[in-house]
Amino acid sequence: MLLQRPGIRGCRKHPWFGILPPSIEDAGKWAPAHFFVEENVMGDVDRRLWDLLEPWLEAEGVELDDLELAGQGAGRLVRVTVDAPGGIDLDRIAGLSRGLSRLLEDADVIGATYTLEVSSPGLERPLRRPSQFRKAVGREVVVKTRAEVAGSRSHRGVLAGVGEGDVLLKVDDAEVTIPLDHVTQARTVFTWEKAPKPGKRGAK
């Protein structure tokens, strides 16, 4: 099997913050509609990939945050999202990409030519799996649905809880329960905090 050169996605240098994972420039971009993944109904290849990659990444001290297999035939794309306490820098992403390339080539799970893309979740991370929603409890999120829920198909608020088949958002002074099977797009929200203006010289 021919393995294409792995692609390293998303890590850029920012003029203020240095190296960032999928980044400020990507803020506000959405994953495709109908993207929600139930972890107990993965496809056979997806499940085998997850079971192959997760223990290897855990041994490297990082978490497999998400896995997506897209495209067909020689154009297949394997997107691997990894995370770790304190984040992951560009050099770490590059090293993990090389290791994952060797692992996938030896296992030959996919059986076709593909491109590997390794990234970290970024400042505004997509929420595609129940486990990702659970990790985001307490954070501000935006959730879009295919049908109206409580009179709207777009809700922005604090993620207050995750149930068996729904999520609870606190929107202003109200609570909105959104069934997960209604979700088409969801992400966390990164809020910029303005730096305080420096005081005038000589001011008391």
Side-chain angles (χ1 to χ4, degrees):
M1 179 185 68
L2 173 64
L3 180 67
Q4 291 185 4
R5 183 179 179 182
I8 302 172
R9 170 182 174 270
C11 289
R12 300 182 177 89
K13 277 201 170 183
H14 189 273
W16 301 333
F17 297 103
I19 293 173
L20 290 174
S23 68
I24 295 164
E25 289 90 339
D26 289 335
K29 291 184 179 178
W30 291 93
H34 310 298
F35 75 140
F36 187 73
V37 178
E38 291 189 49
E39 289 156 337
N40 61 341
V41 291
M42 283 185 180
D44 180 57
V45 175
D46 300 77
R47 172 55 63 188
R48 283 188 289 155
L49 279 173
W50 189 281
D51 291 344
L52 174 69
L53 303 186
E54 185 177 40
W56 186 89
L57 288 166
E58 286 181 352
E60 293 293 316
V62 299
E63 176 188 357
L64 177 55
D65 184 75
D66 201 5
L67 173 65
E68 183 180 3
L69 186 62
Q72 298 291 330
R76 299 200 92 172
L77 176 64
V78 180
R79 290 193 181 100
V80 179
T81 307
V82 294
D83 201 7
I88 302 179
D89 63 20
L90 182 58
D91 290 339
R92 186 74 170 125
I93 290 285
L96 291 170
S97 182
R98 289 190 293 269
L100 289 170
S101 294
R102 291 190 294 269
L103 181 67
L104 289 170
E105 189 170 13
D106 291 342
D108 196 17
V109 174
I110 300 171
T113 304
Y114 60 91
T115 298
L116 173 64
E117 184 179 279
V118 181
S119 67
S120 57
L123 297 174
E124 293 193 335
R125 62 179 60 192
L127 303 174
R128 296 180 356 107
R129 302 175 185 274
S131 59
Q132 293 170 335
F133 277 93
R134 288 191 288 270
K135 287 170 62 177
V137 169
R139 296 189 60 179
E140 187 175 8
V141 299
V142 175
V143 178
K144 294 187 177 183
T145 57
R146 61 175 55 91
E148 286 191 359
V149 176
S152 178
R153 290 193 294 177
S154 180
H155 299 274
R156 177 169 176 162
V158 175
L159 182 58
V162 181
E164 282 295 321
D166 53 35
V167 295
L168 178 65
L169 264 61
K170 293 190 70 174
V171 181
D172 297 325
D173 295 326
E175 292 186 343
V176 179
T177 299
I178 301 175
L180 286 175
D181 60 5
H182 282 39
V183 175
T184 58
Q185 299 173 337
R187 61 173 171 84
T188 60
V189 175
F190 178 78
T191 304
W192 287 99
E193 293 185 4
K194 293 183 179 180
K197 293 182 179 180
K200 294 181 180 179
R201 294 187 64 181
K204 294 182 179 180

Short mmCIF file of all heavy atoms in Angstrom, two decimals, residues 149-187:
data_model
loop_
_atom_site.label_atom_id
_atom_site.label_comp_id
_atom_site.label_asym_id
_atom_site.label_seq_id
_atom_site.Cartn_x
_atom_site.Cartn_y
_atom_site.Cartn_z
N VAL A 149 -35.67 24.12 17.77
CA VAL A 149 -35.78 23.70 19.17
C VAL A 149 -36.01 24.97 19.98
O VAL A 149 -35.22 25.91 19.89
CB VAL A 149 -34.51 22.98 19.65
CG1 VAL A 149 -34.62 22.65 21.14
CG2 VAL A 149 -34.25 21.72 18.84
N ALA A 150 -37.09 25.01 20.73
CA ALA A 150 -37.45 26.20 21.51
C ALA A 150 -37.50 27.44 20.61
O ALA A 150 -37.05 28.52 21.00
CB ALA A 150 -36.48 26.41 22.66
N GLY A 151 -38.01 27.25 19.39
CA GLY A 151 -38.23 28.37 18.49
C GLY A 151 -37.04 28.82 17.68
O GLY A 151 -37.10 29.84 16.99
N SER A 152 -35.93 28.08 17.72
CA SER A 152 -34.73 28.50 16.98
C SER A 152 -33.93 27.29 16.55
O SER A 152 -33.99 26.23 17.18
CB SER A 152 -33.87 29.42 17.85
OG SER A 152 -32.69 29.79 17.15
N ARG A 153 -33.16 27.46 15.48
CA ARG A 153 -32.24 26.40 15.04
C ARG A 153 -30.79 26.72 15.38
O ARG A 153 -29.89 25.98 14.98
CB ARG A 153 -32.39 26.17 13.53
CG ARG A 153 -33.71 25.52 13.16
CD ARG A 153 -33.72 25.02 11.73
NE ARG A 153 -33.63 26.12 10.78
CZ ARG A 153 -33.55 25.94 9.46
NH1 ARG A 153 -33.54 24.73 8.95
NH2 ARG A 153 -33.48 26.99 8.66
N SER A 154 -30.57 27.80 16.12
CA SER A 154 -29.22 28.16 16.54
C SER A 154 -29.27 28.67 17.97
O SER A 154 -30.06 29.57 18.29
CB SER A 154 -28.63 29.23 15.62
OG SER A 154 -27.32 29.59 16.03
N HIS A 155 -28.45 28.09 18.83
CA HIS A 155 -28.45 28.46 20.24
C HIS A 155 -27.02 28.70 20.70
O HIS A 155 -26.12 27.91 20.41
CB HIS A 155 -29.07 27.35 21.10
CG HIS A 155 -30.50 27.06 20.75
ND1 HIS A 155 -31.56 27.75 21.28
CD2 HIS A 155 -31.03 26.14 19.89
CE1 HIS A 155 -32.69 27.28 20.79
NE2 HIS A 155 -32.40 26.31 19.94
N ARG A 156 -26.82 29.78 21.42
CA ARG A 156 -25.52 30.09 22.01
C ARG A 156 -25.71 30.29 23.51
O ARG A 156 -26.53 31.10 23.95
CB ARG A 156 -24.93 31.36 21.38
CG ARG A 156 -23.59 31.77 22.00
CD ARG A 156 -22.92 32.84 21.18
NE ARG A 156 -21.68 33.30 21.79
CZ ARG A 156 -20.73 33.97 21.14
NH1 ARG A 156 -20.87 34.24 19.86
NH2 ARG A 156 -19.64 34.36 21.77
N GLY A 157 -24.96 29.52 24.29
CA GLY A 157 -25.08 29.62 25.73
C GLY A 157 -24.05 28.74 26.41
O GLY A 157 -23.16 28.18 25.76
N VAL A 158 -24.17 28.61 27.71
CA VAL A 158 -23.23 27.79 28.48
C VAL A 158 -23.75 26.35 28.52
O VAL A 158 -24.92 26.11 28.83
CB VAL A 158 -23.08 28.34 29.91
CG1 VAL A 158 -22.21 27.41 30.75
CG2 VAL A 158 -22.48 29.74 29.88
N LEU A 159 -22.89 25.42 28.18
CA LEU A 159 -23.26 24.00 28.21
C LEU A 159 -23.33 23.57 29.67
O LEU A 159 -22.32 23.49 30.37
CB LEU A 159 -22.23 23.17 27.45
CG LEU A 159 -22.48 21.67 27.35
CD1 LEU A 159 -23.82 21.37 26.70
CD2 LEU A 159 -21.35 20.99 26.58
N ALA A 160 -24.56 23.29 30.13
CA ALA A 160 -24.77 23.01 31.55
C ALA A 160 -24.76 21.52 31.87
O ALA A 160 -24.53 21.14 33.01
CB ALA A 160 -26.10 23.63 32.00
N GLY A 161 -25.04 20.67 30.88
CA GLY A 161 -25.07 19.24 31.16
C GLY A 161 -25.25 18.43 29.90
O GLY A 161 -25.68 18.94 28.86
N VAL A 162 -24.89 17.14 29.99
CA VAL A 162 -25.02 16.22 28.87
C VAL A 162 -25.73 14.97 29.37
O VAL A 162 -25.28 14.32 30.32
CB VAL A 162 -23.65 15.83 28.28
CG1 VAL A 162 -23.82 14.88 27.10
CG2 VAL A 162 -22.87 17.07 27.87
N GLY A 163 -26.88 14.65 28.76
CA GLY A 163 -27.63 13.46 29.14
C GLY A 163 -27.37 12.31 28.20
O GLY A 163 -26.43 12.33 27.40
N GLU A 164 -28.21 11.29 28.28
CA GLU A 164 -28.06 10.12 27.42
C GLU A 164 -28.24 10.47 25.95
O GLU A 164 -27.51 9.99 25.11
CB GLU A 164 -29.09 9.05 27.81
CG GLU A 164 -28.72 8.27 29.05
CD GLU A 164 -27.47 7.43 28.87
OE1 GLU A 164 -27.30 6.85 27.78
OE2 GLU A 164 -26.66 7.36 29.80
N GLY A 165 -29.22 11.33 25.67
CA GLY A 165 -29.47 11.65 24.27
C GLY A 165 -29.69 13.12 24.02
O GLY A 165 -30.23 13.50 22.97
N ASP A 166 -29.27 13.98 24.97
CA ASP A 166 -29.48 15.40 24.77
C ASP A 166 -28.44 16.21 25.53
O ASP A 166 -27.66 15.66 26.32
CB ASP A 166 -30.89 15.81 25.20
CG ASP A 166 -31.22 15.37 26.62
OD1 ASP A 166 -30.32 15.38 27.48
OD2 ASP A 166 -32.38 15.01 26.88
N VAL A 167 -28.42 17.51 25.26
CA VAL A 167 -27.55 18.43 25.98
C VAL A 167 -28.40 19.56 26.53
O VAL A 167 -29.43 19.92 25.96
CB VAL A 167 -26.42 18.99 25.09
CG1 VAL A 167 -25.49 17.88 24.65
CG2 VAL A 167 -26.99 19.73 23.88
N LEU A 168 -27.96 20.13 27.65
CA LEU A 168 -28.69 21.22 28.29
C LEU A 168 -27.85 22.49 28.20
O LEU A 168 -26.70 22.51 28.65
CB LEU A 168 -28.96 20.88 29.76
CG LEU A 168 -29.67 21.97 30.58
CD1 LEU A 168 -31.09 22.20 30.06
CD2 LEU A 168 -29.70 21.58 32.06
N LEU A 169 -28.44 23.54 27.61
CA LEU A 169 -27.77 24.83 27.49
C LEU A 169 -28.48 25.86 28.36
O LEU A 169 -29.71 25.89 28.44
CB LEU A 169 -27.80 25.33 26.03
CG LEU A 169 -26.58 25.06 25.15
CD1 LEU A 169 -26.35 23.57 25.01
CD2 LEU A 169 -26.76 25.72 23.80
N LYS A 170 -27.69 26.70 29.01
CA LYS A 170 -28.23 27.87 29.70
C LYS A 170 -28.07 29.06 28.76
O LYS A 170 -26.95 29.48 28.46
CB LYS A 170 -27.49 28.12 31.01
CG LYS A 170 -27.71 27.03 32.05
CD LYS A 170 -27.16 27.42 33.41
CE LYS A 170 -28.00 28.52 34.03
NZ LYS A 170 -27.57 28.82 35.43
N VAL A 171 -29.20 29.55 28.26
CA VAL A 171 -29.21 30.66 27.31
C VAL A 171 -29.87 31.84 28.00
O VAL A 171 -31.07 31.84 28.24
CB VAL A 171 -29.98 30.28 26.03
CG1 VAL A 171 -29.95 31.44 25.04
CG2 VAL A 171 -29.39 29.02 25.40
N ASP A 172 -29.07 32.85 28.32
CA ASP A 172 -29.55 33.98 29.11
C ASP A 172 -30.13 33.45 30.43
O ASP A 172 -29.44 32.79 31.18
CB ASP A 172 -30.56 34.81 28.31
CG ASP A 172 -29.93 35.41 27.06
OD1 ASP A 172 -28.73 35.78 27.12
OD2 ASP A 172 -30.61 35.51 26.03
N ASP A 173 -31.41 33.69 30.67
CA ASP A 173 -32.02 33.22 31.92
C ASP A 173 -32.84 31.94 31.72
O ASP A 173 -33.54 31.51 32.64
CB ASP A 173 -32.93 34.31 32.50
CG ASP A 173 -32.15 35.55 32.92
OD1 ASP A 173 -30.99 35.38 33.37
OD2 ASP A 173 -32.67 36.67 32.79
N ALA A 174 -32.74 31.35 30.55
CA ALA A 174 -33.54 30.16 30.25
C ALA A 174 -32.63 28.94 30.07
O ALA A 174 -31.43 29.06 29.87
CB ALA A 174 -34.36 30.39 28.98
N GLU A 175 -33.25 27.76 30.17
CA GLU A 175 -32.54 26.51 29.89
C GLU A 175 -33.19 25.85 28.68
O GLU A 175 -34.41 25.80 28.56
CB GLU A 175 -32.61 25.57 31.09
CG GLU A 175 -31.80 26.06 32.29
CD GLU A 175 -31.76 25.04 33.42
OE1 GLU A 175 -32.61 24.11 33.41
OE2 GLU A 175 -30.89 25.17 34.29
N VAL A 176 -32.35 25.37 27.77
CA VAL A 176 -32.83 24.75 26.54
C VAL A 176 -32.25 23.35 26.44
O VAL A 176 -31.03 23.17 26.52
CB VAL A 176 -32.42 25.57 25.29
CG1 VAL A 176 -32.92 24.88 24.02
CG2 VAL A 176 -32.96 26.99 25.38
N THR A 177 -33.11 22.35 26.29
CA THR A 177 -32.68 20.97 26.10
C THR A 177 -32.70 20.64 24.62
O THR A 177 -33.73 20.80 23.95
CB THR A 177 -33.59 19.99 26.87
OG1 THR A 177 -33.53 20.31 28.27
CG2 THR A 177 -33.13 18.56 26.66
N ILE A 178 -31.56 20.19 24.09
CA ILE A 178 -31.43 19.93 22.66
C ILE A 178 -31.11 18.45 22.45
O ILE A 178 -30.09 17.96 22.93
CB ILE A 178 -30.32 20.79 22.04
CG1 ILE A 178 -30.62 22.28 22.26
CG2 ILE A 178 -30.16 20.48 20.55
CD1 ILE A 178 -29.52 23.20 21.77
N PRO A 179 -31.97 17.71 21.73
CA PRO A 179 -31.66 16.31 21.43
C PRO A 179 -30.41 16.21 20.56
O PRO A 179 -30.26 16.97 19.59
CB PRO A 179 -32.91 15.83 20.68
CG PRO A 179 -33.98 16.81 21.03
CD PRO A 179 -33.29 18.12 21.21
N LEU A 180 -29.52 15.29 20.88
CA LEU A 180 -28.29 15.16 20.12
C LEU A 180 -28.55 14.75 18.67
O LEU A 180 -27.80 15.12 17.78
CB LEU A 180 -27.37 14.13 20.79
CG LEU A 180 -26.68 14.61 22.08
CD1 LEU A 180 -25.90 13.47 22.72
CD2 LEU A 180 -25.76 15.79 21.80
N ASP A 181 -29.63 13.99 18.43
CA ASP A 181 -29.89 13.58 17.06
C ASP A 181 -30.44 14.72 16.21
O ASP A 181 -30.65 14.56 15.01
CB ASP A 181 -30.80 12.35 17.00
CG ASP A 181 -32.16 12.58 17.63
OD1 ASP A 181 -32.45 13.73 18.05
OD2 ASP A 181 -32.94 11.61 17.73
N HIS A 182 -30.69 15.89 16.82
CA HIS A 182 -31.08 17.08 16.07
C HIS A 182 -29.88 17.94 15.69
O HIS A 182 -29.99 18.85 14.87
CB HIS A 182 -32.03 17.95 16.90
CG HIS A 182 -33.45 17.45 16.95
ND1 HIS A 182 -33.77 16.11 17.05
CD2 HIS A 182 -34.64 18.12 16.94
CE1 HIS A 182 -35.08 15.98 17.09
NE2 HIS A 182 -35.63 17.17 17.01
N VAL A 183 -28.72 17.67 16.29
CA VAL A 183 -27.56 18.55 16.13
C VAL A 183 -26.92 18.35 14.76
O VAL A 183 -26.65 17.22 14.34
CB VAL A 183 -26.52 18.29 17.24
CG1 VAL A 183 -25.26 19.11 17.00
CG2 VAL A 183 -27.11 18.61 18.60
N THR A 184 -26.69 19.45 14.06
CA THR A 184 -25.94 19.40 12.80
C THR A 184 -24.56 20.03 12.95
O THR A 184 -23.62 19.62 12.27
CB THR A 184 -26.68 20.14 11.67
OG1 THR A 184 -26.92 21.50 12.05
CG2 THR A 184 -28.00 19.45 11.36
N GLN A 185 -24.43 21.02 13.81
CA GLN A 185 -23.15 21.69 14.03
C GLN A 185 -23.06 22.12 15.48
O GLN A 185 -24.05 22.58 16.06
CB GLN A 185 -23.01 22.92 13.13
CG GLN A 185 -23.06 22.62 11.64
CD GLN A 185 -23.08 23.89 10.81
OE1 GLN A 185 -23.48 24.95 11.28
NE2 GLN A 185 -22.67 23.79 9.56
N ALA A 186 -21.87 22.00 16.04
CA ALA A 186 -21.67 22.47 17.40
C ALA A 186 -20.19 22.75 17.61
O ALA A 186 -19.33 22.06 17.05
CB ALA A 186 -22.15 21.44 18.42
N ARG A 187 -19.89 23.77 18.39
CA ARG A 187 -18.50 24.10 18.69
C ARG A 187 -18.45 24.91 19.97
O ARG A 187 -19.44 25.51 20.40
CB ARG A 187 -17.86 24.91 17.56
CG ARG A 187 -18.53 26.25 17.28
CD ARG A 187 -17.76 27.07 16.26
NE ARG A 187 -18.48 28.25 15.82
CZ ARG A 187 -18.48 29.42 16.46
NH1 ARG A 187 -17.80 29.55 17.59
NH2 ARG A 187 -19.17 30.45 15.99
#
